[in-house]
Amino acid sequence: MSNNNLPMKPEETGALVVTPEALGGIITELMRPVMQTIGKMLENNTAALEQLSAAQSVQNDRLEALEKQIRLQTPVSGKQVSYLNDAIRARARELLDKRDVDDGKATVKLGNHIRKAVLSRYGVSTLREVPKHEYNVALQQIGMWNDMLTVRDVVKEARSRAESAEQSAGMDG
């Protein structure tokens, strides 16, 4: 057998001998620039995400304000106006019935006072301009309206009208 077939030791060949510790150091030095680049990219991505989050927050606040403005400016529907008018007439009749007054003019006059109270609450000139989201509140206001002085004045006026009609009917007969 010849010595040529036997493996040679690295020291005999003049090759560089690398220990596991040295290999770890070499790998660390090779990976350091890559890891630093990845770290910078992560920092930049984090900063970009924070900016996006802040912009999204501002946009959400603006959308919320816009939705609120739209809600405030959306008027009641025509059918809701009809229901409000019916509720006003019903409340006026109810208040007059409690005082035994059955007069169409008195109902209209008292209804106008109730309507005026609702309109003044919202600062509008017609029931059609009442904000849609306030419809139930307006109905409650109508249902609870009870200005005793106004009711008394309307009742007095209706009774004097009835007395005048009786007197003129008595004179004609």
Side-chain angles (χ1 to χ4, degrees):
M1 278 205 184
S2 73
N3 271 346
N4 289 345
N5 291 339
L6 292 176
M8 296 177 70
K9 293 182 180 174
E11 298 86 29
E12 296 172 357
T13 61
L16 181 63
V17 177
V18 180
T19 62
E21 294 82 22
L23 183 61
I26 292 170
I27 292 174
T28 302
E29 288 303 314
L30 289 174
M31 294 299 291
R32 186 181 318 262
V34 173
M35 295 307 286
Q36 287 175 344
T37 303
I38 290 173
K40 283 286 185 196
M41 284 175 40
L42 288 174
E43 284 178 28
N44 292 342
N45 286 347
T46 302
L49 285 175
E50 287 173 356
Q51 287 177 347
L52 282 174
S53 175
Q56 184 72 33
S57 177
V58 168
Q59 187 176 16
N60 285 343
D61 290 345
R62 287 181 179 170
L63 279 175
E64 186 177 311
L66 183 61
E67 287 171 351
K68 183 177 180 182
Q69 191 64 29
I70 288 170
R71 194 171 54 248
L72 290 173
Q73 290 181 345
T74 303
V76 291
S77 68
K79 195 66 171 170
Q80 288 173 319
V81 170
S82 172
Y83 291 147
L84 289 172
N85 281 321
D86 290 346
I88 289 170
R89 278 189 292 278
R91 182 65 178 159
R93 279 192 214 107
E94 177 187 342
L95 290 170
L96 291 173
D97 284 347
K98 287 180 183 177
R99 288 153 185 87
D100 295 325
V101 174
D102 186 21
D103 181 36
K105 286 185 179 181
T107 303
V108 169
K109 186 166 186 166
L110 192 58
N112 287 338
H113 285 287
I114 296 170
R115 183 175 291 102
K116 185 177 178 182
V118 172
L119 296 176
S120 68
R121 176 184 188 138
Y122 298 106
V124 295
S125 59
T126 66
L127 288 176
R128 181 72 177 109
E129 297 174 35
V130 171
K132 188 171 195 154
H133 75 282
E134 289 287 323
Y135 171 72
N136 289 329
V137 176
L139 277 178
Q140 286 178 344
Q141 180 184 1
I142 292 167
M144 294 182 343
W145 187 90
N146 197 11
D147 184 345
M148 295 308 295
L149 294 176
T150 303
V151 173
R152 186 192 69 193
D153 292 344
V154 170
V155 168
K156 271 186 190 177
E157 189 178 309
R159 287 188 177 146
S160 69
R161 225 182 355 262
E163 287 173 10
S164 297
E166 284 177 17
Q167 287 175 357
S168 37
M171 290 182 183
D172 290 341

